[in-house]
Amino acid sequence: MHDHSDHSHMSDIEARVRALETVLTEKGYIDPAAVDAIIQTYETEIGPRNGAHVVAKAWSDPDYRAWLEEDATAAIHSLGYVSRQGEHMQAVFNGPGQHHLVVCTLCSCYPWSVLGLPPVWYKSPPFRSRAVIDPRGVLADFGLVLPEGTAVTVHDSTAEMRYLVVPERPEGTEGWSEEALAGLVNRDSMIGTALADEPAEHAQEGAR
Amino acid sequence: MNGGADLGGMMGFGPVVPEVDEPKFHAEWEARVMGMVIALGAAGQWNLDQSRFARESLPPAEYMASPYYAIWLKAVTKLLLARGMVTEVELTEGRAMTEPVPVKRTLSAADVPGALAKGGPVDRPAETQPRFTAGGKVHTINIHPDGHTRLPRYARDKTGVIERIHGHHVYPDTNARGEGEHPCWLYKVSFAARDLWGERAHPSDRVTLDLWEPYLRPAE
């Protein structure tokens, strides 16, 4: 981002975006305050903590897990996570011998309501091209090597269904509160490019 | 269309490189583009599928080399020009020079929470029964349309199994052409990775796609 050529490229696009926003505002198509409010929502309110709450509840409450399996849209909406790119949800559950990975090969479909905005790598050609043909190679890029006997299912989000991976609950977390469990659920574990954190990394939180 | 966006199975892009502590936006303009694109949805001048088609119909080399929010910027500019909402000269000059076209609504800041909560559900009431049932075998059609489709190249003319019936959803292929929503049944279809990719795939791996009924035929 700091070399000169890239900087001038950015300046050019910045100027174009500024001109566009001015024209759209002057013509009354947008209100810049609404644009500010949208940005602020995704910068401060909607992010992977939402999804971590869903996962931790599914780990703690068998009835909730069953509901999430049957009707993820309703189960997630019941926790108040009702927003765009979460209108139609399905949860997929990792377990012994089964790992799930989510991709959108055609664009950038991602469950914004529970994970926030997607990271750049999720929207970029290396991930989108390879996740379906070489999922184990992609996982290796993230440092995740699965046991040979574990099957991988890749979910290509070709429609308006949005996918949330429920990672396996780490061992050694018996008796943990839902809140402490949520602290183990990193974003990538809900896409399928990582596992949930090990409790050793969060020993103090678990002991609370 | 067989455009630059249909990336599944392509090679040569190199490894996935996650960024440590990635910021929500890498520059202020990215945030403005994201916010403007969402805000413009309220104007009602295009639908979701027309917006997607505007992105995927960028020339492939340009699509693949553009940062994602630059793709959004180029596509939304194309739509604004096509609808006569802005002119090239206005964008160059950075000021309004023509009368605005009438739009459905201008999103206000106060309306943002409600609009985001409402989202854009695409399920529609059904008057028909789904043709396929869970567990049934299906074969995808072999199409290469110039227009929008959500059946990726790698999953055309392949045999899979219905895993779930998602519901009755807007059909993107007609919606993108402005020919109406024509809702139809949407299924989760599971394919053996080897049926898509041959011997290179792991024998126990699978790939699932969400596919509309017109993409599917019964298979033996």
Side-chain angles (χ1 to χ4, degrees), chain A residues 69-138:
Chain A
E69 207 160 348
E70 179 62 30
D71 185 353
T73 308
I76 290 169
H77 286 186
S78 78
L79 300 182
Y81 306 132
V82 182
S83 67
R84 73 192 306 280
Q85 295 300 311
E87 296 93 336
H88 309 287
M89 294 289 309
Q90 189 181 343
V92 289
F93 298 78
N94 288 347
Q98 178 63 58
H99 186 85
H100 294 278
L101 173 68
V102 179
V103 64
C104 172
T105 62
L106 294 173
C107 47
S108 57
C109 298
Y110 187 78
W112 289 23
S113 66
V114 282
L115 298 187
L117 298 173
V120 165
W121 60 259
Y122 184 87
K123 303 182 282 187
S124 300
F127 181 72
R128 287 166 52 193
S129 62
R130 235 166 99 230
V132 283
I133 189 172
D134 181 22
R136 289 161 192 268
V138 166

Side-chain angles (χ1 to χ4, degrees), chain A residues 21 26-29 36 84 87-88 105 108 120 128-129 132 136 141 148 152 154-156 158 160 163, chain B residues 5 9 16 22 32 52 63 68 85 90 96 98 101 106 116 120 122 150 154 188 197 205-206 208 210:
Chain A
E21 184 163 358
E26 288 180 3
K27 298 188 96 163
Y29 299 139
D36 293 342
R84 73 192 306 280
E87 296 93 336
H88 309 287
T105 62
S108 57
V120 165
R128 287 166 52 193
S129 62
V132 283
R136 289 161 192 268
D141 289 348
E148 175 57 26
V152 178
V154 182
H155 302 269
D156 190 354
T158 47
E160 298 318 304
Y163 286 90
Chain B
V16 182
E22 180 176 335
R32 301 314 292 177
R52 288 219 177 102
Y63 182 96
Y68 206 76
M85 294 172 72
E90 286 176 320
T98 59
V101 304
T106 301
L116 294 181
V122 294
R150 297 292 287 180
Y154 78 84
K188 185 172 185 63
W197 311 112
D205 290 354
R206 303 194 72 84
T208 82
D210 294 332

Side-chain angles (χ1 to χ4, degrees), chain A residues 1 9-10 13-14 16-17 19-24 26-39 41-44 46 69-71 82-85 87-88 90 92 104-109 112 117-121 123-130 132-136 138 141-142 148 150-163 187, chain B residues 5-11 13-19 22 24-26 29 31-36 38-40 48 52 63-64 68-70 72-74 76-77 80 85-86 90-91 94-96 98-101 103 106-109 112 116-123 149-150 152 154 164 166 169 186 188 197 200 202 204-212:
Chain A
M1 294 290 273
H9 169 70
M10 287 305 174
I13 203 161
E14 268 167 21
R16 279 168 54 203
V17 171
L20 177 65
E21 184 163 358
T22 303
V23 173
L24 296 179
E26 288 180 3
K27 298 188 96 163
Y29 299 139
I30 61 165
D31 175 353
V35 176
D36 293 342
I38 293 165
I39 295 167
T41 302
Y42 288 103
E43 277 184 332
T44 62
I46 300 180
E69 207 160 348
E70 179 62 30
D71 185 353
V82 182
S83 67
R84 73 192 306 280
Q85 295 300 311
E87 296 93 336
H88 309 287
Q90 189 181 343
V92 289
C104 172
T105 62
L106 294 173
C107 47
S108 57
C109 298
W112 289 23
L117 298 173
V120 165
W121 60 259
K123 303 182 282 187
S124 300
F127 181 72
R128 287 166 52 193
S129 62
R130 235 166 99 230
V132 283
I133 189 172
D134 181 22
R136 289 161 192 268
V138 166
D141 289 348
F142 286 85
E148 175 57 26
T150 297
V152 178
T153 299
V154 182
H155 302 269
D156 190 354
S157 315
T158 47
E160 298 318 304
M161 301 301 303
R162 296 290 169 268
Y163 286 90
R187 180 198 65 199
Chain B
D6 187 359
L7 290 167
M10 278 192 75
M11 298 173 182
F13 291 111
V16 182
V17 185
E19 183 181 345
E22 180 176 335
K24 299 258 170 39
F25 302 101
H26 288 79
W29 70 265
R32 301 314 292 177
V33 168
M34 190 280 296
M36 283 193 281
I38 292 179
L40 280 169
L48 170 73
R52 288 219 177 102
Y63 182 96
M64 291 177 193
Y68 206 76
Y69 287 114
W72 279 31
L73 172 65
K74 290 169 186 188
V76 79
T77 304
L80 289 162
M85 294 172 72
V86 302
E90 286 176 320
L91 296 180
R95 61 191 173 92
T98 59
E99 284 300 305
V101 304
V103 297
T106 301
L107 188 71
S108 71
V112 165
L116 294 181
K118 187 170 168 237
V122 294
D123 54 332
T149 184
R150 297 292 287 180
Y154 78 84
R164 198 176 179 120
H166 284 311
H169 286 206
L186 178 72
K188 185 172 185 63
W197 311 112
R200 64 168 291 147
H202 192 285
S204 53
D205 290 354
R206 303 194 72 84
V207 178
T208 82
L209 294 89
D210 294 332
L211 302 175
W212 286 261

Side-chain angles (χ1 to χ4, degrees), chain B residues 130-150:
Chain B
R131 181 179 181 188
F132 304 109
T133 51
K137 276 176 88 175
V138 290
H139 194 83
T140 56
I141 57 174
N142 183 13
I143 51 165
H144 294 268
D146 296 321
H148 183 64
T149 184
R150 297 292 287 180

